Amino acid sequence: MKFISSKDLNKQKWDDLVSENKGKSFSYSYYFDSNSKNWGAFVNEDYTKGIAIAYNKIFGVEIIYPPIFGKYFQFFGVNSTEISELLSRIQSRFKIATFHTVENIEADFKKFKLQEKKFQIRDSSGKINTLSKRMVKKAETNGIEILETPFEEILPIINAELIFKLKNIENGVYEKLEKLLHVLSEKKLLISKGIFENGILVGGLYFCETKTEILYLTGVAEESARTNGGMYLCMNSLIEHSISENKIIDFGGSDIENIRRFYLSLGGIDVNYFAISWDFSPFWFKALRKLSKLFKK
């Protein structure tokens, strides 16, 4: 397998590989194109094995990072031995990384930093708890409605209530989200639900729906609607849809306890994934990064 940058990658063949292996929506080329600074894939000649990776490039140093509206990088068509070989090649090329994967590869990374993280999914066995039922009822009693809404109408509220808070996490978050929503909408993969309070749009949630699952992208509601259960009612409408379509919901998830409890209250269960990090960058680059962080303070 060799590394091919996105501009030279046969994206149709890559997407076929993802589809054949029932890959996540965020592993497709169109998702990487919308959600990454740079990306490419290690693939074999006939595109039957591989992994795609997002990365940034600073002063010529390539840095693997998890895109904000993705979750982890997926290996396709490879066995455990090939995964180990691939990881060695990935480390050789990329000198700095925060590498997310669902593969438990701790044995291969004993001298590197490894952190176990969690996201939440909901399958057909999921049940919302008493608190969630109460909040759904509260929302209905307070005149909150959930309606299919063009994503462009919700974006200003997302920007005001959420994106501003994320700007310290990653630059260009709003632009990435807007581009991703346009692409998903064109491909008929986007669910865009507006939260209305007394007839006024006060929030909304975005989801990506594939043949097998529904991925929660992001969403927010203004304070009054949050207090009155708007987020619960909106999620509940999505849960009803997933049940009718017999699809799993991937909440995107969080290991932040308050958010995690919200997803669990909706019938979600924890799934483990792993964050592996390393830094083999040259001394001069480490020094520059330290100086950059000092100037930002």
Side-chain angles (χ1 to χ4, degrees), residues 56-243:
N56 195 10
K57 187 181 288 188
I58 303 175
F59 298 120
V61 177
E62 294 176 330
I63 304 170
I64 294 176
Y65 75 100
I68 190 164
F69 298 111
K71 179 54 65 178
Y72 50 82
F73 304 124
Q74 290 189 284
F75 293 92
F76 297 116
V78 294
N79 58 38
S80 57
T81 300
E82 291 170 318
I83 287 175
S84 296
E85 293 170 354
L86 260 177
L87 288 170
S88 294
R89 296 193 60 188
I90 290 168
Q91 287 182 346
S92 295
R93 180 185 175 98
F94 297 94
K95 301 306 180 185
I96 306 176
T98 300
F99 184 96
H100 288 180
T101 176
V102 292
E103 304 290 339
N104 189 350
I105 50 179
E106 186 171 2
D108 301 297
F109 281 87
K110 286 181 179 177
K111 64 180 180 177
F112 305 107
K113 184 179 178 182
L114 184 144
Q115 181 184 7
E116 186 173 306
K117 300 172 76 68
K118 298 179 186 298
F119 66 98
Q120 294 74 43
I121 66 169
R122 187 188 196 280
D123 59 23
S124 58
S125 65
K127 304 292 183 184
I128 68 172
N129 68 12
T130 302
L131 170 63
S132 293
K133 290 178 182 177
R134 189 162 59 243
M135 293 301 289
V136 167
K137 185 66 176 176
K138 181 178 181 181
E140 292 171 338
T141 302
N142 281 278
I144 293 178
E145 292 182 287
I146 309 302
L147 301 173
E148 298 294 327
T149 305
F151 74 86
E152 297 93 340
E153 295 181 18
I154 302 171
L155 266 174
I157 302 172
I158 296 284
N159 190 39
E161 297 286 330
L162 180 64
I163 298 298
F164 180 78
K165 300 173 185 176
L166 296 176
K167 286 182 178 177
N168 291 330
I169 300 175
E170 184 176 326
N171 291 328
V173 174
Y174 182 88
E175 292 77 11
K176 286 186 177 70
L177 177 60
E178 186 175 25
K179 184 178 180 181
L180 178 60
L181 294 174
H182 273 289
V183 170
L184 296 180
S185 179
E186 289 171 0
K187 291 182 174 293
K188 310 298 184 186
L189 298 174
L190 180 66
I191 297 176
S192 177
K193 289 186 173 288
I195 302 173
F196 291 80
E197 188 172 31
N198 299 318
I200 299 172
L201 181 64
V202 292
L205 277 65
Y206 299 131
F207 305 86
C208 174
E209 182 175 22
T210 65
K211 293 179 181 179
T212 57
E213 71 170 16
I214 300 169
L215 173 68
Y216 174 47
L217 300 174
T218 191
V220 74
E222 294 176 2
E223 185 176 356
S224 174
R226 288 198 306 270
T227 302
N228 287 324
M231 295 290 283
Y232 285 89
L233 184 62
C234 196
M235 280 292 190
N236 189 62
S237 71
L238 193 279
I239 289 170
E240 290 175 349
H241 173 70
S242 72
I243 292 171

Side-chain angles (χ1 to χ4, degrees), residues 36-53:
S36 308
K37 296 181 178 75
N38 305 282
W39 74 280
F42 285 90
V43 291
N44 61 349
E45 189 173 348
D46 57 3
Y47 283 74
T48 58
K49 301 177 180 182
I51 180 174
I53 293 167

